[in-house]
Amino acid sequence: MLPASKGVFRRVCGICGIVGGPERDERRAATVRAMSATLVHRGPDGVGDASCRGADLGFRRLAIVDVGAVPPPYSTEDGQVWSVCNGEIYNGDELRRGLAERGHRFATDGVDTEAIPHLYEEVGTSLPERLDGMFAFAVWDAPRGRLLLARDRAGEKPLFYAPLPDGRLAFASELRALLAVPELPRAVDPQALSRFLLHDYFPAPLTPLAGVRKLPAGHLLVWENGSFRVERYWSLAERFGGPSPSDPRRAAEELDRLIAQAVQRRKRSDVPVGVFLSGGLDSTVVLAHLSEQNGPGVPVFCLGHRDPAFDESRFAAETARFYKADFNALILDEPELDDGLRRIAEGFDEPLGDASIIPTHLLALFARRKVKVVLSGEGSDELFAGYPTYLGDRLADWYLKLPAGARRGLLKTLHALLPVKMGNNGLDYLLGRFEQGADLGRIERHHAWFGSMPPARQRPLFGPALRAALEGDDPFSSARAVVGGRPLPDAISELLLSDFSMYLQDDLLTKVDRATMLASLEARAPFLDHELAEYAAALPSAFKLRGTTGKWILRRAEARRLPPDVLRRRKRGFTIPFSRWLLSGLGPRMKRRFAPERVEARGLFDPAAVAALLDEHLERRADHKKPLFTLLTLDLWCDRVFGDGAPVPLAAESGAGKGL
């Protein structure tokens, strides 16, 4: 048993391991140590590892209090069951008390995740259903030769896995750690790449590499003696259309109570807790509740831009004054963005075509000077219909009733009236996005609007090898699978479930996790409390999108807590002036990166098609900021994994086709 440690020890961290093979294997142990070393940014305060009779586990920790505490892996009293966990178990104290009353003995005085191996002894693979928190964990049951992996319900914490030769299995918090495994094949999955070009992210379970998969949110994996199965243990889909108040007043009161409870759970820490504040509705709701619970002086961190079209710092400053918060603003311009891009390029775990990862990481570095924990507003838009695309879906239904000739004429006229401005999602840009998906089916057009390149736009970019590998492939199949066959009550529910299951999990939460972890900062999202999420899903869609007002019930629930201007403020995306940045300092570098001979050598895309895309933007004929950033992040990742400008091998068969 590990020696006792005084004090409570909270952590954000990285986990990794390999199971299978001999009881003791120094080569396996050395590989796990190498995997752990790649995760030092996730946990710079300590390292733990254990050889556990048929398995090796690794752990990196960020200690928020009690830096001297013994790190995981933790085991049961007899050393037969071991575990490592990345994240927070908010009901950990309650679980520990119950386990202690039933005779379990612990090695620490308050580590929440030490409850995991002991609870596994009692409930087995139903363990994740008993946990309230954000987590990705592994349990190694040595007597049974069983590995249990599980990921939290929303997907706040990441978990990757890879089957290895001889039936072994490796897992890690980030893809980079698996690249330290010598036996891991390094070939890009063509289907996954096509999904990335469509969505700007890799939808779970896909990753860039054919031999690696992400465990989806709300799922568990059980490996036993060389074979494994993946199962769902929680789904938001089952809550849509469920029992809920029909009276908006009662619904708003209960919603306010659940938000207060979620903030209360996530503020627990022995160090100051801050808030990422934009001045918009979601982050202000979080600040309002935290200020009520903690009093004035809550540290808040916001971004500003010297380009006024992208600057929200003035709104955040007004909000901070209203709540007497400790206001901290980071003002960005091209030099800071250049530095942020360099940092992100060096730290990319997998490509992510969301340019807001740059300012998110810079804000995390800025906040880390004062705090180790921040609360953020992720999840609200996907629960309460906050995106303009939900209203756009209704406009598209009207648009499709027009004759095809009239539709084309209308768009042609509007294009002539709205020249390309390269601004912050102006009418010219929004019109182009609408046109990109308006003629598609509901789910298809929704993802075409959110992403970069629907099928008709990505196919001309493909080089010969990629085109052949994707013959007959349907890039929308991942999106359709999320809602297909589910008895959802209406169209809004379909879109909300799709965004919660895909965009939230694989874009927003991936962005926040990687951007904050590269700064060794912990981010927590109160709106993703599973009780709150389940309640929100069950509410009628008319409570979420009423007329042209999104998040109607949330506005009503929090009206007494918020300044009136916040309630009226329209949603603004967390963006940077990437379109204009391309027209100045970044443009020449992009020309060099995507020079025809370099694109040809890489082997993925057609050099002329990529050059045309970039030239259209640089000549101000079209705003291609989204596809160009997506291609940039992919190429930067390829540099890290395969070498600067080196050829990229394509897998002959996708990982999905091989049962991963």
Side-chain angles (χ1 to χ4, degrees), residues 516-566:
T516 56
M517 285 291 87
L518 282 172
S520 298
L521 179 75
E522 175 175 352
R524 304 174 182 171
F527 284 108
L528 297 181
D529 181 278
H530 73 272
E531 290 184 45
L532 171 56
E534 290 168 1
Y535 182 79
L539 292 173
S541 291
F543 283 12
K544 300 165 189 174
L545 180 60
R546 177 162 293 201
T548 60
T549 302
K551 294 190 277 199
W552 179 82
I553 192 65
L554 179 62
R555 296 174 195 275
R556 177 161 180 160
E558 304 304 310
R560 67 183 178 85
R561 300 182 185 277
L562 305 184
D565 60 322
V566 172

Side-chain angles (χ1 to χ4, degrees), residues 119-424:
L119 189 58
Y120 170 84
E121 280 191 308
E122 295 189 354
V123 303
T125 58
S126 65
L127 168 62
E129 301 170 38
R130 311 296 180 93
L131 304 180
D132 174 15
M134 57 175 189
F135 55 80
F137 69 77
V139 171
W140 175 243
D141 181 340
R144 291 184 175 86
R146 174 196 287 171
L147 173 74
L148 170 64
L149 300 178
R151 193 172 174 207
D152 64 67
R153 294 164 179 84
E156 291 183 76
K157 290 298 161 188
L159 194 54
F160 295 78
Y161 66 93
L164 300 176
D166 303 321
R168 294 177 302 138
L169 187 132
F171 65 88
S173 294
E174 295 187 10
L175 179 60
R176 78 180 71 231
L178 293 172
L179 292 171
V181 179
E183 306 95 312
L184 184 77
R186 297 191 181 199
V188 165
D189 183 340
Q191 290 185 1
L193 180 56
S194 178
R195 305 300 184 273
F196 171 68
L197 296 176
L198 169 61
H199 299 294
D200 301 331
Y201 53 81
F202 290 89
L206 300 176
T207 78
L209 299 180
V212 181
R213 286 297 173 260
K214 286 184 280 195
L215 187 64
H219 281 68
L220 58 85
L221 179 152
V222 179
W223 179 98
E224 292 188 77
N225 301 313
S227 62
F228 68 92
R229 66 184 188 275
V230 176
E231 301 174 356
R232 182 189 297 274
Y233 72 86
W234 183 87
S235 173
L236 192 68
E238 300 166 1
R239 276 69 183 183
F240 285 96
S244 68
S246 57
D247 175 18
R249 181 184 59 81
R250 286 182 52 217
E253 289 173 353
E254 178 63 6
L255 179 56
D256 180 64
R257 184 192 72 79
L258 288 169
I259 294 172
Q261 175 181 276
V263 172
Q264 183 76 35
R265 289 172 175 168
R266 282 154 184 79
K267 75 171 188 179
R268 294 174 185 169
S269 174
D270 288 353
V271 295
V273 176
V275 174
F276 278 170
L277 182 68
S278 69
L281 178 64
D282 306 331
S283 59
T284 302
V285 167
V286 173
L287 175 60
H289 281 275
L290 188 59
S291 295
E292 181 174 301
Q293 295 171 16
N294 284 10
V298 172
V300 299
F301 306 92
C302 86
L303 280 174
H305 290 281
R306 290 188 176 88
D307 185 335
F310 292 82
D311 182 45
E312 288 192 333
S313 61
R314 63 189 185 280
F315 300 130
E318 293 169 4
T319 301
R321 282 194 295 272
F322 184 87
Y323 294 104
K324 298 182 174 62
D326 171 19
F327 179 67
N328 302 269
L330 176 64
I331 307 302
L332 303 179
D333 206 344
E334 280 194 22
E336 293 83 11
L337 294 176
D338 274 330
D339 181 57
L341 179 59
R342 177 187 59 79
R343 290 174 178 274
I344 290 296
E346 292 171 355
F348 265 132
D349 180 51
E350 56 180 324
L352 181 65
D354 185 339
S356 65
I357 192 172
I358 297 174
T360 302
H361 176 55
L362 294 173
L363 185 62
L365 287 169
F366 181 63
R368 185 61 177 80
R369 300 173 184 174
K370 278 196 172 186
V371 299
K372 284 189 176 182
V373 182
V374 292
L375 305 187
S376 65
E378 273 74 28
S380 173
D381 289 309
E382 293 81 7
L383 292 171
F384 301 106
Y387 294 124
T389 48
Y390 302 127
L391 182 59
D393 179 71
R394 293 181 175 177
L395 293 175
D397 286 342
W398 170 82
Y399 168 82
L400 290 172
K401 292 177 183 178
L402 297 173
R407 296 201 300 268
R408 287 191 294 270
L410 175 63
L411 290 176
K412 183 177 180 180
T413 300
L414 290 174
H415 275 301
L417 294 173
L418 297 170
V420 177
K421 293 184 177 179
M422 303 293 184
N424 187 5

Side-chain angles (χ1 to χ4, degrees), residues 5 18 42 62 66 92 102 111 149 196 228 284 296 315 356 364 369 399 434 447 473 539 598 608:
S5 169
I18 300 176
R42 296 189 74 92
L62 169 66
D66 193 7
R102 297 191 292 276
V111 176
L149 300 178
F196 171 68
F228 68 92
T284 302
F315 300 130
S356 65
R369 300 173 184 174
Y399 168 82
F434 181 83
H447 286 276
D473 178 56
L539 292 173
R598 197 172 185 278

